[in-house]
Amino acid sequence: MPVIKTILCLVVSGVVLSGSAVFAQTESEPSLQDQARFYFDVIPDQVPRQELVDHFEEKVALGQRLFFDPRLSLSQTVSCHSCHNLSLGGDDGRSVSVGHGWQTGPRNAPTVFNSVLQIAQFWDGRARDLIEQAGAPMTSPVEMASTDPMICDVLSSMPDYVEWFSRAFPDRNNPICFATTRHALAAFVSTLLTPDAPFDCYLQGQQSALTRVQKEGLRQFITLGCTQCHMSTNLGGNSYYRFGVKHEPEQRYRPVADLGRRQVMETIREDYVFKVPTLRNVALTAPYFHSGSAWTLEEAVEVMAWVQLDKKLNPTQVDSLVLFMDSLTGIRPTVTLPLLPASTPQTPHPSY
Amino acid sequence: MPVIKTILCLVVSGVVLSGSAVFAQTESEPSLQDQARFYFDVIPDQVPRQELVDHFEEKVALGQRLFFDPRLSLSQTVSCHSCHNLSLGGDDGRSVSVGHGWQTGPRNAPTVFNSVLQIAQFWDGRARDLIEQAGAPMTSPVEMASTDPMICDVLSSMPDYVEWFSRAFPDRNNPICFATTRHALAAFVSTLLTPDAPFDCYLQGQQSALTRVQKEGLRQFITLGCTQCHMSTNLGGNSYYRFGVKHEPEQRYRPVADLGRRQVMETIREDYVFKVPTLRNVALTAPYFHSGSAWTLEEAVEVMAWVQLDKKLNPTQVDSLVLFMDSLTGIRPTVTLPLLPASTPQTPHPSY
């Protein structure tokens, strides 16, 4: 959350920050739009400046080709796009993904859209950034099932890739390696922003961008305290919370065996802590939760209100919240399918 | 083969047609370019006129969406694009495709590029046209594993598809059905032409479009008799021949159990008859044969010369033929990834 904006907002409204109900109980109540601007930020339509490394355009162009190339997997069947489908919500619409040998993964595939705006990657935040993230699915035995050396062998076997890597990493002696592959993929994924959602237009001053019911949903969202976790640009993605703060979720929503962040961070003493998922484009990314077990937004909203906030919502509240969340659907990027080079006699054969 | 051109060519050259050696043994030998024009035609850059049905553009736009939508499969994982990858050679680069439940199909996936120019579809020609073809993979248990009613349920559940089908099939009472789905897919696939290969430029008069060795390869191609099967616009795709005219191919190339066209046509009395595959973009579509068993063009060329033509080629001949085939790679279409609508609560869930 931008600090300066927060301070300004507090000064203007003349109130003291106290949890999520900061604005709700004051005499001189700020407008809903001001409240929204306090909690949320507009999705940028440009890649964040800190991502703009040297030869960024060349890295993006290369990363786009890699993203769609199934030959990064052992079977040469599974690409990044298989589970992070850019025609859909940047995910795959399944509870859990299907990977090598038709094996299923343990968690719901998160969207790649706006993922660069998160503090970390994966449901448990175990990857610091997109560069670290990009390596895991390629070498996971249940996903793409390849290996570092095999990926290098595959890419080095095609002269076009040799040229594209050289252009994207001109300072490297051996431009094609697992690290550069991850860097290029991360550069491409960092461009996958979805600006100009109705909610962004509203944040920027366009009152009519939200319907009356959507505004009521936004008010509920703030008043109920959803903003404690789902805040900032991505309405999530910037903090970790236990799934089950007030009540234990049913096992179908929170399978017993998946302890979340505790499995990967020694310092976490609590079970079932996960990164708060973004609500950006949430209307495109059913099913919900790390378990992919809630198939409608209505169901997800009711469950979350109960287990996180100890609130039983009435149908009107649920409806307005869901309609508000519809306003979080941005403009998905227009992506041209890359033309990939043919395999050569040096390219390892697919194995399946 | 265009009849008028054929007759003209015969008159001009003053020879009588006699197998593939028609030009090779005459005194006043026509130029290599004339010979090539006798056997082959330029790939059109426009969809053939007979394909241009009513509301063609709307059908193409819809078909493009369907082509990329994995929700046409039971698992909502496999799309047309999975095995007919437009980033690659319009195929999948595997011996046989991987489909539902990681099952493998019996034959190598053929390219969709220029497939509209073939006399029939599938290796055994069992589908009369692309409309008939499009239905089979969607409902094959080892490919997309869906059913007619499920596909209609999936598509009817999304308002955007309802609108798109209405626009593409405005005269239908129920625009969304299995037949219209197939028609739209066929319309899109009919646009996937790859014009302007070096060989097309050569056919159109540009002598320098082929290198000296490629011209030697073309000469070999004609002299050896490859043109008996691989002729016309697609250098194939317009006739059926036994795989093993002169010699029985090794079992790895021609598995005993796959009898080819005989399995689907009662009138075929001979085993191992297949549709002659196109050689267009053949450098992009390894591995080769219906069995997907030859991983290099060199290997495929040597095998074909022996089993079909009783010829043992020397390495120079093989090299020039392969280099000639490189000249058959056209310009693949630029395809924008379609943006697909979100599933709704009415959309059947994926099953896997």
Side-chain angles (χ1 to χ4, degrees):
Chain A
M1 206 179 319
V3 177
I4 293 170
K5 256 173 97 177
T6 307
I7 293 167
L8 272 176
C9 201
L10 288 171
V11 169
V12 168
S13 60
V15 296
V16 178
L17 184 65
S18 153
S20 62
V22 54
F23 294 117
Q25 292 147 11
T26 58
E27 284 278 312
S28 58
E29 192 175 325
S31 73
L32 183 64
Q33 210 169 42
D34 284 341
Q35 293 181 56
R37 286 171 176 162
F38 174 78
Y39 289 110
F40 311 112
D41 274 304
V42 172
I43 286 263
D45 58 2
Q46 298 289 324
V47 178
R49 195 172 305 170
Q50 66 272 21
E51 304 291 324
L52 300 174
V53 291
D54 280 352
H55 305 281
F56 185 69
E57 289 306 320
E58 289 82 359
K59 287 183 174 67
V60 170
L62 170 61
Q64 180 167 350
R65 287 153 176 150
L66 295 168
F67 191 85
F68 284 95
D69 201 328
R71 292 170 296 189
L72 295 183
S73 66
L74 177 62
S75 67
Q76 304 194 4
T77 303
V78 185
S79 69
C80 304
H81 181 71
S82 301
C83 299
H84 298 289
N85 193 317
L86 305 184
S87 286
L88 300 171
D91 67 339
D92 60 6
R94 292 184 291 254
S95 293
V96 290
S97 296
V98 172
H100 188 81
W102 212 253
Q103 298 173 92
T104 49
R107 292 180 188 146
N108 182 254
T111 180
V112 280
F113 290 136
N114 312 304
S115 57
V116 69
L117 305 173
Q118 300 186 116
I119 46 163
Q121 304 299 327
F122 293 120
W123 277 97
D124 51 22
R126 69 184 183 277
R128 192 179 38 188
D129 54 24
L130 289 174
I131 298 165
E132 205 173 308
Q133 185 280 330
M138 287 192 276
T139 54
S140 159
V142 301
E143 297 184 52
M144 295 168 77
S146 193
T147 61
D148 305 19
M150 177 164 288
I151 286 166
C152 298
D153 285 350
V154 165
L155 295 171
S156 303
S157 71
M158 292 175 263
D160 280 348
Y161 269 120
V162 172
E163 188 188 327
W164 294 331
F165 270 90
S166 297
R167 275 195 225 154
F169 301 96
D171 304 329
R172 297 245 185 178
N173 283 334
N174 296 304
I176 294 186
C177 68
F178 192 55
T180 51
T181 302
R182 291 188 286 110
H183 274 266
L185 280 165
F188 172 61
V189 172
S190 77
T191 68
L192 300 174
L193 301 166
T194 65
D196 298 328
F199 184 59
D200 291 309
C201 300
Y202 178 78
L203 287 177
Q204 289 171 301
Q206 192 185 320
Q207 277 286 349
S208 63
L210 298 193
T211 65
R212 191 191 53 76
V213 185
Q214 286 178 320
K215 285 177 192 163
E216 178 51 32
L218 168 59
R219 200 185 314 273
Q220 292 285 343
F221 193 84
I222 293 170
T223 311
L224 289 166
C226 308
T227 44
Q228 284 179 48
C229 300
H230 295 285
M231 55 182 167
S232 195
T233 314
N234 251 359
L235 290 88
N238 61 349
S239 59
Y240 299 93
Y241 278 92
R242 186 170 199 266
F243 184 20
V245 171
K246 298 286 187 179
H247 302 279
E248 302 297 303
E250 291 178 34
Q251 280 196 27
R252 61 181 165 140
Y253 298 129
R254 199 191 69 185
V256 176
D258 187 351
L259 300 179
R261 195 158 162 75
R262 184 170 177 179
Q263 287 166 206
V264 295
M265 286 280 287
E266 278 193 9
T267 53
I268 303 291
R269 290 277 159 257
E270 219 176 5
D271 293 340
Y272 308 120
V273 170
F274 293 91
K275 178 160 58 68
V276 177
T278 176
L279 295 185
R280 289 285 183 179
N281 305 299
V282 71
L284 303 179
T285 60
Y288 304 108
F289 304 149
H290 68 287
S291 51
S293 52
W295 281 90
T296 65
L297 263 178
E298 286 78 359
E299 181 182 357
V301 162
E302 284 185 75
V303 170
M304 290 308 278
W306 178 244
V307 305
Q308 303 299 91
L309 300 166
D310 190 29
K311 301 269 166 61
K312 285 279 185 197
L313 303 183
N314 64 46
T316 310
Q317 286 175 303
V318 172
D319 286 351
S320 66
L321 283 162
V322 168
L323 286 168
F324 162 61
M325 288 179 198
D326 277 346
S327 81
L328 303 174
T329 303
I331 307 293
R332 287 172 282 177
T334 302
V335 175
T336 301
L337 205 65
L339 295 180
L340 301 173
S343 296
T344 67
Q346 286 72 49
T347 310
H349 294 175
S351 176
Y352 47 99
Chain B
M1 207 181 315
V3 176
I4 294 172
K5 253 173 100 179
T6 306
I7 293 168
L8 272 177
C9 202
L10 287 171
V11 170
V12 169
S13 60
V15 297
V16 179
L17 183 64
S18 154
S20 64
V22 53
F23 294 117
Q25 293 148 9
T26 60
E27 282 282 312
S28 57
E29 193 176 325
S31 74
L32 183 64
Q33 210 169 40
D34 284 341
Q35 293 181 55
R37 285 170 176 162
F38 173 79
Y39 289 110
F40 311 113
D41 273 304
V42 172
I43 286 263
D45 58 2
Q46 298 288 324
V47 178
R49 197 173 300 170
Q50 65 271 23
E51 304 292 323
L52 298 174
V53 291
D54 280 351
H55 305 281
F56 186 70
E57 288 306 319
E58 290 82 358
K59 286 182 174 68
V60 170
L62 170 60
Q64 180 168 350
R65 287 153 175 148
L66 295 168
F67 191 86
F68 284 95
D69 201 327
R71 292 169 298 186
L72 295 184
S73 67
L74 177 63
S75 67
Q76 304 193 3
T77 302
V78 186
S79 69
C80 304
H81 181 71
S82 300
C83 300
H84 298 289
N85 193 317
L86 305 185
S87 286
L88 300 172
D91 67 339
D92 60 7
R94 292 185 291 256
S95 293
V96 291
S97 297
V98 172
H100 188 81
W102 212 254
Q103 297 173 93
T104 47
R107 291 181 190 145
N108 183 255
T111 179
V112 281
F113 290 136
N114 312 303
S115 58
V116 69
L117 304 174
Q118 300 186 116
I119 46 163
Q121 303 300 325
F122 294 120
W123 277 99
D124 50 22
R126 68 184 183 277
R128 193 180 36 191
D129 54 24
L130 289 172
I131 298 166
E132 205 174 306
Q133 186 279 328
M138 288 192 275
T139 55
S140 160
V142 301
E143 297 184 51
M144 296 167 77
S146 193
T147 61
D148 304 19
M150 176 163 290
I151 285 165
C152 297
D153 286 351
V154 165
L155 296 170
S156 303
S157 71
M158 293 175 262
D160 280 347
Y161 269 119
V162 173
E163 188 189 326
W164 295 331
F165 270 91
S166 297
R167 276 196 224 153
F169 301 95
D171 305 328
R172 296 245 185 178
N173 283 334
N174 297 304
I176 294 186
C177 68
F178 192 56
T180 50
T181 302
R182 289 187 286 113
H183 274 266
L185 280 166
F188 172 60
V189 172
S190 78
T191 68
L192 299 174
L193 301 166
T194 63
D196 298 329
F199 184 59
D200 291 310
C201 301
Y202 178 77
L203 286 178
Q204 290 171 303
Q206 193 183 321
Q207 277 287 348
S208 63
L210 299 193
T211 64
R212 190 190 54 76
V213 184
Q214 286 178 321
K215 285 176 193 163
E216 178 51 33
L218 168 58
R219 199 185 314 273
Q220 291 285 343
F221 193 83
I222 293 171
T223 311
L224 289 166
C226 308
T227 44
Q228 284 179 47
C229 300
H230 295 285
M231 56 182 166
S232 195
T233 313
N234 251 357
L235 290 87
N238 62 350
S239 58
Y240 300 94
Y241 279 90
R242 186 169 200 266
F243 184 20
V245 171
K246 298 286 187 179
H247 302 279
E248 302 297 304
E250 290 178 36
Q251 281 196 28
R252 62 183 165 136
Y253 298 129
R254 198 190 70 185
V256 175
D258 186 350
L259 301 180
R261 195 158 162 74
R262 184 171 177 177
Q263 286 165 206
V264 295
M265 287 281 286
E266 278 191 10
T267 53
I268 302 290
R269 290 277 158 256
E270 218 177 5
D271 292 341
Y272 308 120
V273 171
F274 294 91
K275 178 159 60 65
V276 177
T278 176
L279 295 185
R280 289 285 182 179
N281 304 301
V282 71
L284 303 178
T285 60
Y288 304 107
F289 305 149
H290 68 287
S291 51
S293 52
W295 282 89
T296 65
L297 264 179
E298 285 78 0
E299 182 182 356
V301 162
E302 283 185 75
V303 170
M304 289 307 278
W306 176 243
V307 305
Q308 302 301 89
L309 300 167
D310 190 27
K311 301 267 166 62
K312 286 279 184 197
L313 304 183
N314 63 47
T316 310
Q317 285 175 304
V318 172
D319 286 352
S320 66
L321 282 163
V322 168
L323 286 168
F324 162 61
M325 289 178 197
D326 278 347
S327 81
L328 303 175
T329 302
I331 307 292
R332 286 172 283 177
T334 301
V335 175
T336 302
L337 206 64
L339 295 179
L340 300 174
S343 296
T344 68
Q346 285 71 49
T347 310
H349 294 176
S351 177
Y352 47 99

